[in-house]
């Protein structure tokens, strides 16, 4: 079991063809059974080992975005185990766009099952320091790759049932997908495969997190008796008594790059509550708004 860098977040990897190795990932993450994991592969040439068929949409998205922050959900090939798919008929596959991850995959030769290298439900790691602090001696080896460039997890697109369905938003947006395929993607419905990262509570800090809209900011941000830490687009006002005030980048890519590290810093700042100013409602912020809304409490 090896933690390794990708361009999105650090993964906790093991041989995808070895059920005992995959079981160890679940044990270390304390992840309940029945959740699928993403299998990382070195290139499209390996798709047939894991997927029963490669629909045209899948081929186009792979050609356009791999290696990169995109996970494709496809019908699983014969022999692909339930421990990878959570018992579903589909498998999540991705060619990561990080030189160390690609070299690891090339040297290894097979598929590497890798969820994010954090305990279940918690904030994904974007540095080796995060992995070490959270998983400690439970991991055999951590490959150093610096801070992850993108900082939030890959876009997951289900292409197993015709019309593409975005199961988890990421840096690659619905507009990028529509431009590549010439058809719009849809939102998940009840027949869509389950994705644990799309559960209501996920990516959560330990302290309660409150999202405050920009228009209510002056009214709400300072209410209540708690000792709070803040992440806002504004500078810290004079006389502010927050335990910590982070002025967040106004560019969504930089915001995403820093997001999880900032949440960890806020979480360990000695506050009783984290208050985050809600980012704009435009498409560029969709993935960030998704993660923040799952990180918030209640
Ligand atoms: O950016 C990423 O995708 C990172 C890096 C390490 O590659 N990995 C990651 O893995 O975020 P994880 O396990 O933390 O989240 C994977 C998500 C989960 O929500 C899981 O339910 C979903 O992918 N998933 C995996 N296989 C699936 C499948 N066959 N059908 C539906 N969802 C699937
Ligand atoms: Mg995860």
């Amino acid at each position: 079991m090896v933690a390794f860098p990708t361009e999105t977040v650090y993964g906790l990897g093991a041989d995808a063809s070895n059920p005992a190795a995959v079981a160890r990932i679940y044990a270390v993450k304390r992840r309940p059974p029945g959740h699928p994991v993403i299998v990382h592969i070195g290139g499209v040439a390996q798709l047939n080992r894991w997927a029963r068929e490669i629909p045209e949409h899948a081929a186009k998205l792979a050609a356009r975005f791999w290696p990169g922050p995109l996970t494709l959900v496809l019908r699983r090939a014969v022999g692909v185990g339930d421990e990878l798919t959570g018992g579903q008929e589909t498998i999540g596959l991705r060619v990561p766009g990080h030189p160390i991850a690609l070299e690891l995959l090339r040297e290894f030769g097979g598929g590497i099952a890798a969820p994010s290298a954090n305990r279940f439900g918690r904030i994904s790691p974007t540095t080796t320091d995060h992995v070490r602090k959270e998983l400690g001696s439970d991991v055999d080896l951590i490959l150093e790759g610096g801070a992850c460039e993108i900082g939030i997890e890959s876009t997951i697109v289900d292409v197993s049932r015709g019309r593409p369905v975005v199961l988890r938003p990421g840096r690659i947006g619905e507009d990028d997908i529509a431009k590549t395929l010439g058809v719009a993607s849809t939102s998940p419905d009840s027949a869509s495969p389950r994705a644990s990262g799309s559960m209501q509570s996920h990516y959560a800090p330990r302290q309660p997190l409150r999202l405050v809209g920009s228009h209510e900011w002056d009214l709400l941000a300072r209410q209540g008796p708690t000792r709070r830490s803040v992440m806002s687009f504004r500078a810290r006002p004079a006389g502010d008594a927050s335990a910590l005030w982070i002025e967040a980048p106004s560019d969504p890519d930089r915001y995403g790059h820093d997001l999880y590290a900032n949440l960890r810093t806020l979480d360990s700042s000695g506050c009783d509550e984290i208050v985050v100013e809600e980012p704009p409602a435009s498409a560029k912020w969709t993935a960030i708004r998704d993660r923040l809304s799952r990180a918030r409490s209640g």
Side-chain angles (χ1 to χ4, degrees), residues 23 25 99 119 123 287 297:
I25 297 180
R119 306 269 190 214
I123 303 169
S297 34

Side-chain angles (χ1 to χ4, degrees), residues 9 29 31 115-118 121-122 124 153 168 196-197 202-203:
V9 300
K29 274 187 71 87
R31 197 184 211 189
S116 49
N118 51 281
R122 309 227 66 94
S124 298
E153 304 80 359
R168 180 175 70 183
S196 65
H202 219 79
Y203 316 112

Side-chain angles (χ1 to χ4, degrees), residues 26 29 31-38 88 115-116 118 120-122 156 167-168 193-203 290 294:
Y26 273 77
K29 274 187 71 87
R31 197 184 211 189
H35 287 278
V37 291
I38 296 171
Q88 303 179 94
S116 49
N118 51 281
F120 182 69
R122 309 227 66 94
I156 303 180
L167 299 180
R168 180 175 70 183
R194 286 171 290 113
S196 65
S198 60
M199 289 190 337
Q200 209 34 264
S201 176
H202 219 79
Y203 316 112
D290 169 76
R294 294 178 206 292

